[in-house]
Amino acid sequence: MAGLSLEHIGKTYPNGFEGVKDFNLEIEDKEFIIFVGPSGCGKSTTLRMIAGLEDITSGTLKIDGRVVNDVEPADRDIAMVFQTYALYPHMTVYDNMAFPLKLRKVPQADIDKAVHEAARILDLEKLLDRKPSALSGGQRQRVAMGRAIVRRPKVYLMDEPLSNLDAKLRVQMRAEISKLHDRLGATIIYVTHDQTEAMTLGTRIVVMKDGVMQQVDTPSKLYSEPCNLFVAGFIGSPQMNFIDATVVEKDGAVALAFGSNAVTLPDAKAAALKPYVGKVVVMGIRPEDVVEEHEYAEGKALSEQIDATVTVYELLGSEAMIYGDVDGGQVSAHISATNPVRTGSRIKVAFDVDKLHVFDKDTELAIVH
């Protein structure tokens, strides 16, 4: 396996459009890196430049310390798993997996050993004599991964490999890919637009928007310390609540005022906001950090109570999501399914002020977490 270095990588198309702008990233050996972002953000383009399927306009790409900007894809020692399974329909599972090794003229005994080892890892041993038409979507995707595994490349590249699967299969295959990473000790770069996949799979996540890397960090850091408004809204499901609020100071305390409500900040957060007194900022609070009156818990640093009217109630099984109008904005919150609150209920909520985020209205950068 190997590490990668992307130094000032850029991609500009003939019409002048910049698909990727000044992308810098060091990927260590055996890391599981996720590229995540909305459609058109440049994540697949970056992956294709690593694979050699797209020309690099500017910057330097190194794999295992070797500059590979102008190296042919076949000579980069990478394996790619695509969104579509791209299996040969006339070949059996065994032959599909063995094909890349046959092209390299690997001895038959070594091919047989590699295919059966990959089939054991992916639970495909009983399917080796079947053709793709006789397989389910999840089985076909495992075959496509098996074809990549047998090559034992330095880097595995995966471009939204689960997007064609149904919800249940996606969950199963996420677990399979995670176990696969542990077994192979492989360097994997994985592209997805699904932030749940990103959070559950990656050792580090690269969040992209409009061809620009917004933040790269561990899943827990991205969730708890987003660097800007975009990352805060993209990571987490359902997304963070955002409310425009004015920073006010009274009797030495700093608060965020919106409508007829005010949320007093703890000292640690208040100090960073003193330069913003009198200015409008964006207050962010995740739904799980909004507490409804029936479920006030001890040990949380809760804000003043805020009156809300529930406009939407969504039962999710053991819990429910509520969406409510408050004076000055809207909030969503997780509640227990046994909570009597329903659409139309008048309730009181409070924010866990230790989990409050504040963003600059103009730059959209985080001021406090």
Side-chain angles (χ1 to χ4, degrees):
M1 303 307 165
L4 290 88
S5 176
L6 292 86
E7 302 171 1
H8 305 290
I9 295 293
K11 175 66 180 180
T12 303
Y13 291 93
N15 63 1
F17 175 73
E18 288 186 275
V20 178
K21 306 169 188 175
D22 196 27
F23 190 98
N24 292 276
L25 183 65
E26 296 293 326
I27 301 173
E28 296 181 8
D29 186 24
K30 301 181 182 179
E31 266 202 290
F32 198 140
I33 292 286
I34 307 283
F35 293 170
V36 69
S39 296
C41 70
K43 55 189 186 297
S44 289
T45 301
T46 305
L47 193 78
R48 290 171 64 83
M49 285 193 286
I50 294 171
L53 303 177
E54 290 271 5
D55 291 333
I56 297 171
T57 307
S58 60
T60 303
L61 171 65
K62 297 178 182 177
I63 298 178
D64 202 16
R66 172 193 177 205
V67 176
V68 296
N69 286 45
D70 300 318
V71 174
E72 290 297 316
D75 299 324
R76 295 192 183 195
D77 200 9
I78 53 96
M80 193 160 181
V81 180
F82 295 93
Q83 179 178 346
T84 52
Y85 315 124
L87 302 178
Y88 297 106
H90 63 288
M91 291 185 182
T92 63
V93 168
Y94 180 97
D95 289 333
N96 266 285
M97 292 170 66
F99 189 69
L101 299 183
K102 289 180 178 178
L103 285 179
R104 293 183 173 189
K105 301 190 180 343
V106 173
Q108 184 57 44
D110 293 340
I111 292 176
D112 199 57
K113 181 181 177 181
V115 169
H116 279 91
E117 183 181 355
R120 179 182 55 79
I121 291 172
L122 294 166
D123 194 24
L124 292 171
E125 291 174 295
K126 296 179 181 178
L127 306 176
L128 289 175
D129 59 345
R130 294 192 190 181
K131 291 186 177 179
S133 60
L135 303 178
S136 69
Q139 290 168 336
R140 292 179 195 178
Q141 194 57 275
R142 293 210 302 273
V143 175
M145 289 180 183
R147 186 173 55 193
I149 289 170
V150 296
R151 292 183 51 194
R152 293 286 175 173
K154 289 181 177 178
V155 183
Y156 292 91
L157 307 178
M158 300 187 181
D159 191 3
E160 303 203 39
L162 308 185
S163 59
N164 288 338
L165 305 182
D166 61 42
K168 185 177 179 181
L169 270 177
R170 285 172 79 106
V171 173
Q172 291 176 350
M173 286 303 297
R174 279 207 307 265
E176 290 294 333
I177 291 172
S178 184
K179 288 190 286 187
L180 191 61
H181 177 247
D182 291 337
R183 286 173 182 167
L184 297 177
T187 304
I188 298 178
I189 305 174
Y190 186 107
V191 162
T192 181
H193 63 273
D194 185 334
Q195 58 93 16
T196 302
E197 276 181 28
M199 293 290 284
T200 53
L201 286 173
T203 52
R204 283 195 300 159
I205 300 172
V206 178
V207 183
M208 297 184 68
K209 177 191 177 188
D210 299 332
V212 177
M213 182 195 297
Q214 302 292 308
Q215 186 172 354
V216 53
D217 223 320
T218 62
S220 60
K221 268 293 190 74
L222 280 178
Y223 184 80
S224 60
E225 299 178 20
C227 71
N228 60 30
L229 210 54
F230 174 78
V231 176
F234 193 83
I235 298 296
S237 181
Q239 78 163 35
M240 185 183 289
N241 296 297
F242 297 119
I243 300 174
D244 285 353
T246 302
V247 181
V248 297
E249 187 172 15
K250 185 179 180 180
D251 300 328
V254 176
L256 297 173
F258 56 101
S260 59
N261 304 293
V263 175
T264 303
L265 298 172
D267 292 343
K269 296 181 187 289
L273 280 170
K274 285 200 173 183
Y276 288 84
V277 171
K279 296 181 180 179
V280 175
V281 295
V282 180
M283 174 175 61
I285 187 77
R286 294 200 181 277
E288 50 269 38
D289 299 321
V290 179
V291 184
E292 197 272 326
E293 60 185 321
H294 288 86
E295 302 181 354
Y296 282 177
E298 296 293 330
K300 287 190 175 182
L302 296 180
S303 69
E304 299 85 346
Q305 292 184 1
I306 299 165
D307 291 320
T309 301
V310 177
T311 55
V312 178
Y313 174 91
E314 296 178 343
L315 181 63
L316 303 174
S318 62
E319 64 177 12
M321 278 294 302
I322 56 171
Y323 300 82
D325 286 336
V326 301
D327 185 14
Q330 293 182 319
V331 295
S332 59
H334 286 285
I335 62 171
S336 169
T338 59
N339 191 311
V341 168
R342 293 295 184 271
T343 301
S345 296
R346 291 284 297 166
I347 61 173
K348 293 184 183 297
V349 297
F351 300 161
D352 184 345
V353 293
D354 286 336
K355 302 293 180 64
L356 205 66
H357 302 258
V358 184
F359 303 90
D360 187 292
K361 179 77 172 171
D362 297 322
T363 67
E364 298 189 351
L365 296 177
I367 303 169
V368 294
H369 298 295

